[in-house]
Amino acid sequence: MYPVSYAADPALEGRNRLTSFFRIIVSLPWYIVASIYGWVAEIAAIIAWFAIVFTGRYPEGIYNFNAGYLRMYSRTYSFMHLMTDEWPPFGGEEAPGYPIRIGIAPPLDTYSRLKTGLRLIIGIPVMLLAIVQAVILWVCALIAWFAILFTGKLAEGLFSPMRAALAYLTRATGYFLLLTEDYPPFSYEEAGPVPTGQISPEAASRAPEV
């Protein structure tokens, strides 16, 4: 089971053409808040890096803060890329009723100082794959934008690669926030079930688990 999961309810029919057309504009408030949140999360991750390297432990308060950022970032990014028409929450709290759900397992008791200390070096393959997935996401989202405007629908053939790309980008972000020590699985189906306790069973049952 990978400690960071991404689940998205399929939103294929009855899409809102108006908010889809202006998606970049209507997403700006969330994007601005997420950007500020992200700057602070980067500083928090640096503090966590020193804490892990010297003590082998991730301070719980910092872990929870960065987990909250990852949830907000993923929901905002998914909304911007037309995965759902529902407005995302502004904060980083868990939102089991929202169509995009990010499960994050509790912190480990101890972390590898070596894997943490060399994260930017050993994480180069993750960076490269994240770039590839970001390109796939951008191309599919652009096609999806036109498809929704003209048909009011999002095809499963576009939804699936967008979901897979966003899942990888979410896990890659969690990896560089030091929330996990393991490389993100490349395939959406490889990640295993949702981390226990992070998403309600009712919400998890509405979408495929990763």
Side-chain angles (χ1 to χ4, degrees):
M1 180 182 71
Y2 195 73
V4 177
S5 69
Y6 179 95
D9 292 339
L12 308 180
E13 304 287 339
R15 298 301 301 266
N16 189 314
R17 302 186 191 197
L18 182 62
T19 60
S20 295
F21 182 79
F22 293 105
R23 186 56 54 95
I24 297 299
I25 297 175
V26 300
S27 300
L28 281 178
W30 285 269
Y31 179 78
I32 292 171
V33 173
S35 296
I36 296 172
Y37 204 159
W39 295 333
V40 180
E42 289 179 4
I43 296 173
I46 293 173
I47 297 173
W49 183 88
F50 281 102
I52 295 172
V53 168
F54 285 102
T55 71
R57 298 179 64 86
Y58 201 129
E60 185 176 357
I62 297 178
Y63 185 93
N64 292 336
F65 179 86
N66 284 343
Y69 164 69
L70 183 61
R71 285 189 285 264
M72 182 181 182
Y73 152 81
S74 298
R75 291 190 292 247
T76 299
Y77 212 51
S78 297
F79 177 71
M80 289 180 64
H81 288 84
L82 304 170
M83 290 293 287
T84 180
D85 289 336
E86 293 191 31
W87 309 103
F90 260 108
E93 71 281 0
E94 293 187 39
Y98 190 68
I100 309 298
R101 297 175 299 280
I102 294 83
I104 302 172
L108 301 174
D109 292 332
T110 58
Y111 287 78
S112 169
R113 302 184 187 193
L114 181 61
K115 288 182 179 180
T116 299
L118 300 178
R119 183 60 51 94
L120 292 180
I121 297 176
I122 63 178
I124 290 176
V126 179
M127 293 183 192
L128 296 177
L129 286 173
I131 292 173
V132 172
Q133 293 287 5
V135 172
I136 293 173
L137 175 61
W138 186 87
V139 172
C140 289
L142 181 62
I143 298 172
W145 186 78
F146 282 104
I148 293 172
L149 290 185
F150 285 103
T151 69
K153 299 178 182 179
L154 175 62
E156 176 68 27
L158 290 171
F159 176 83
S160 293
M162 290 165 62
R163 182 182 61 184
L166 283 160
Y168 188 86
L169 291 171
T170 296
R171 297 182 185 118
T173 302
Y175 177 78
F176 286 111
L177 288 174
L178 310 177
L179 299 177
T180 175
E181 297 184 324
D182 302 322
Y183 280 166
F186 183 75
S187 170
Y188 183 80
E189 287 76 18
E190 289 176 356
V194 171
T196 303
Q198 302 304 302
I199 295 178
S200 68
E202 294 81 6
S205 68
R206 296 201 303 267
E209 294 182 343
V210 294

